């Protein structure tokens, strides 16, 4: 399996190289050159298998010999042992023909654990073969950073530095980043906002001396290996509702478009998916783009579903690449137009996208109302992100079973849930001591050279 860039001007890579590289050198994102198709019998055979076995069968063709089969199986097993539910991604019913896929039973209570835990194991295994070390630097508004630290802590060949905006993440999110005691993970509280943190990461990648000196690597949501790990639960949930003999639809609370793009890949692989519904909060650039063709930013408004507060969804570029007939030059010129605020999707490309994706938007008031109405009707307590999904899914229910992705545990966003319902969700018992564990964090000013010096200094120890 070979991987090509969405902008058509970067080297073609193997799976392992694409995983280690992240962003392509032409600024594009890596996608598989061809998507392998599973036939009906192969999909039917997944029914009833353990999650780990489904993961192996779905991902194997994409890994293309980079790891031996037994090795892949071992890495998958390790990745998911820390999950608090034997099914890994259990499905619960919300109503007639509406199901909720609970993706929050991982160690940091958000769906990002599915991909991050696996990429941690795969990167470590690849590095162990050559004896190389890498340094991962990331910026987070909460969920990605905690998932990365949890996944990479204690791994022998990796150091991780996560910058988060001081005072601007929830207490649960902060403690998930500051309480791991392993010496290879470092939480940096930056005096600034999320954009400052992200700008520092970008600047470090553009500082080639630094980048090569510390062997910088990235694990943000554009990393192909992360998308791949998320394809698996589309299969596991669909077959449990009767696929491939019965089609299903999915609604996905969407920010950077990584999670729903995994659903698009599952569909290309032959999984019978009827609708893929993009659910946005009040930051609705994708809903506007998919309904009108006008892809234009108008700033970020902070919401009670903060992990979906995005200005531009980076993974949308992968869908555009296919919609434009895999014309890398066309994609590159759209991304150029983006620098001045936006672009209009061509008629043909929009038609292709609308044939696969539907979309909807959920306001702040609707998010709260959905949390409380769903609790009353079903007993299920939703996090605000999942509530955005449930609201938009409710507007799209039909003959086909609808599966809405629940992307985080309600206890990760207790304030919004308490405001909506009067109930303060508790942490699962396995992490109930989170508030007693000692914290370890370095407060830094928003000063790039100083942060780089600190990273170099820590790496010398
Ligand atoms: C990251 C995240 C999302 C958005 O997922 P994308 O892949 O960026 O679209 C939604 N909900 C939660 C809880 C998240 O952490």
């Amino acid at each position: 399996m070979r991987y090509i860039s969405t902008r058509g001007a970067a080297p073609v890579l193997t799976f392992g190289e694409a995983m280690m590289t992240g962003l392509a050198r032409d600024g594009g994102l890596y996608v598989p050159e061809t998507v392998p198709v599973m036939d009906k019998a192969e999909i039917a055979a997944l029914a009833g298998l353990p999650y780990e076995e489904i993961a192996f069968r779905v991902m194997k063709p994409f890994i293309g010999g980079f790891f031996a089969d037994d090795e892949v199986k071992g890495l998958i097993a390790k990745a998911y042992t820390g999950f608090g539910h034997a099914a890994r991604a259990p499905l619960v019913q919300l109503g007639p023909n509406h199901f909720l896929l609970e993706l929050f039973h991982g160690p940091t209570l958000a769906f990002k654990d599915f991909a991050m835990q696996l990429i941690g194991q795969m990167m470590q295994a690849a590095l162990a073969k050559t004896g190389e070390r890498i340094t991962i630097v990331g910026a987070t508004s909460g969920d990605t950073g905690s998932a990365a630290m949890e996944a990479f802590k204690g791994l022998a060949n990796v150091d991780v530095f996560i910058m988060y905006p001081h005072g601007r993440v929830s207490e649960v999110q902060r403690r998930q980043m500051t309480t791991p005691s392993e010496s290879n993970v470092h939480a940096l509280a930056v005096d600034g906002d999320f954009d400052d943190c992200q700008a520092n990461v970008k600047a470090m990648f553009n500082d080639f001396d630094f980048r090569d000196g510390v062997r910088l690597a990235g694990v943000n949501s554009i990393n192909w290996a992360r998308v791949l790990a998320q394809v698996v639960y589309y299969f596991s949930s669909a077959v449990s509702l009767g696929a491939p003999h019965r089609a299903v639809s999915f609604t996905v609370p969407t920010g950077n478009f990584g999670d729903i793009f995994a659903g698009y890949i599952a569909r290309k692989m032959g999984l019978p998916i009827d609708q893929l519904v993009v659910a946005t909060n009040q930051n609705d650039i994708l809903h506007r783009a998919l309904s009108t063709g006008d892809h234009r930013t108008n700033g970020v408004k902070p919401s009670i579903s903060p992990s979906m507060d995005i200005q531009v969804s980076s993974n949308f570029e992968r869908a555009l690449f296919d919609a434009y007939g895999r014309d890398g030059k066309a994609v590159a010129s759209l991304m150029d137009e983006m620098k001045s605020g936006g672009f209009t999707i061509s008629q043909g490309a929009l038609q292709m996208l609308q044939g696969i994706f539907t979309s909807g938007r959920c306001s702040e008031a609707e998010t709260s109302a959905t949390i409380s109405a769903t609790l009353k009707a079903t007993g299920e307590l939703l996090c605000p992100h999942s509530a955005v999904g449930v609201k938009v899914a409710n507007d799209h229910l039909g003959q086909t079973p609808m599966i809405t992705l629940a992307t985080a545990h309600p206890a990760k966003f207790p304030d919004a849930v308490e405001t909506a319902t009067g109930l303060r969700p508790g942490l699962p018992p396995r992490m109930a001591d989170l508030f007693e564990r000692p914290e370890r964090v370095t407060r830094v000013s928003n000063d790039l050279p100083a942060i780089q010096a600190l990273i170099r200094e820590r790496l010398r120890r």
Side-chain angles (χ1 to χ4, degrees):
M1 173 70 66
R2 289 152 33 107
Y3 289 85
I4 57 172
S5 164
T6 50
R7 301 197 193 169
V12 174
L13 301 182
T14 65
F15 173 78
E17 291 165 339
M19 171 173 75
M20 289 300 183
T21 305
L23 196 69
R25 257 189 260 174
D26 58 5
L29 279 60
Y30 277 103
V31 289
E33 194 167 39
T34 55
V35 171
V37 171
M38 288 176 83
D39 64 30
K40 229 174 161 176
E42 287 172 305
I43 296 172
L46 301 176
L49 294 178
Y51 186 85
E52 284 80 351
E53 179 63 26
I54 297 176
F56 172 70
R57 295 191 190 185
V58 169
M59 293 191 294
K60 178 182 151 60
F62 292 93
I63 294 172
F66 184 75
F67 293 113
D69 287 359
D70 280 351
E71 213 176 352
V72 177
K73 286 186 183 176
L75 299 174
I76 293 171
K78 266 198 214 157
Y80 299 125
T81 46
F83 279 52
H85 198 297
R88 307 313 181 211
L91 203 56
V92 301
Q93 186 156 16
L94 291 183
N97 245 4
H98 192 183
F99 299 83
L100 191 73
L101 182 59
E102 293 185 347
L103 300 176
F104 50 69
H105 296 283
T108 70
L109 308 178
F111 84 88
K112 294 193 171 69
D113 289 324
F114 277 89
M116 209 63 93
Q117 286 290 326
L118 188 64
I119 199 176
Q121 294 300 326
M122 291 200 295
M123 280 189 169
Q124 172 59 33
L127 292 165
K129 287 182 186 174
T130 59
E132 287 169 90
R133 292 190 69 83
I134 55 167
T135 304
I136 286 170
V137 176
T140 189
S141 55
D143 292 338
T144 303
S146 52
M149 292 179 76
E150 192 62 40
F152 286 87
K153 68 182 191 189
L155 298 182
N157 295 51
V158 187
D159 293 282
V160 179
F161 295 84
I162 298 293
M163 287 179 266
Y164 68 84
H166 176 69
R168 300 195 201 192
V169 298
S170 81
E171 185 170 7
V172 173
Q173 289 174 324
R174 187 194 75 230
R175 286 181 174 274
Q176 284 179 336
M177 292 189 275
T178 58
T179 57
S181 59
E182 289 79 357
S183 61
N184 71 322
V185 294
H186 310 263
L188 307 180
V190 177
D191 284 317
D193 59 20
F194 171 65
D195 291 331
D196 295 326
C197 297
Q198 201 156 36
N200 285 326
V201 173
K202 276 204 185 130
M204 287 185 211
F205 272 92
N206 287 327
D207 176 346
F208 295 118
D209 260 2
F210 181 79
R211 178 166 138 177
D212 298 339
V214 305
R215 297 197 48 93
L216 208 56
V219 290
N220 60 14
S221 79
I222 58 106
N223 194 301
W224 168 256
R226 279 187 59 187
V227 174
L228 177 59
Q230 293 166 185
V231 175
V232 176
Y233 44 71
Y234 286 89
F235 277 91
S236 68
S237 58
V239 295
S240 73
L241 290 184
H245 314 295
R246 176 160 83 147
V248 296
S249 291
F250 288 92
T251 300
V252 186
T254 296
N256 248 329
F257 208 77
D259 210 5
I260 194 154
F261 188 76
Y264 169 81
I265 294 291
R267 191 175 183 274
K268 267 186 116 168
M269 290 176 73
L271 189 66
I273 297 177
D274 181 13
Q275 298 185 80
L276 274 172
V277 186
V278 175
T280 74
N281 65 20
Q282 60 187 3
N283 297 294
D284 60 354
I285 177 169
L286 284 170
H287 173 52
R288 286 182 285 115
L290 288 167
S291 38
T292 68
D294 190 36
H295 185 270
R296 202 158 302 279
T297 60
N298 55 9
V300 177
K301 273 186 273 167
S303 78
I304 56 171
S305 44
S307 303
M308 294 158 62
D309 288 347
I310 47 100
Q311 172 112 291
V312 177
S313 305
S314 37
N315 282 291
F316 191 52
E317 181 170 339
R318 290 188 157 115
L320 288 170
F321 182 58
D322 278 3
Y324 278 81
R326 305 206 128 199
D327 178 351
K329 279 206 181 100
V331 172
S333 87
L334 292 178
M335 294 305 139
D336 238 21
E337 283 183 61
M338 209 54 223
K339 289 177 194 150
S340 49
F343 56 81
T344 304
I345 303 171
S346 75
Q347 207 48 43
L350 185 62
Q351 223 164 15
M352 179 278 193
L353 292 169
Q354 288 177 339
I356 298 170
F357 298 102
T358 324
S359 65
R361 164 194 209 273
C362 179
S363 70
E364 294 290 274
E366 288 167 333
T367 307
S368 287
T370 304
I371 296 175
S372 89
T374 306
L375 178 65
K376 273 203 199 96
T378 71
E380 184 85 14
L381 201 51
L382 299 172
C383 93
H385 309 78
S386 311
V388 167
V390 167
K391 147 79 173 85
V392 173
N394 283 335
D395 297 337
H396 287 84
L397 294 180
Q399 296 296 310
T400 314
M402 176 66 80
I403 300 173
T404 298
L405 273 51
T407 50
H409 191 285
K412 221 167 170 179
F413 303 93
D415 296 337
V417 174
E418 188 174 14
T419 305
T421 63
L423 292 180
R424 193 156 183 93
L427 288 165
R430 68 185 194 282
M431 49 191 77
D433 68 340
L434 185 67
F435 289 86
E436 276 99 68
R437 294 181 207 158
E439 292 191 79
R440 186 170 59 92
V441 57
T442 308
R443 178 102 175 253
V444 295
S445 57
N446 181 33
D447 172 358
L448 178 67
I451 298 172
Q452 287 176 303
L454 177 116
I455 291 173
R456 282 203 160 104
E457 148 77 24
R458 292 274 174 92
L459 291 175
R460 266 196 293 275
R461 281 187 209 158

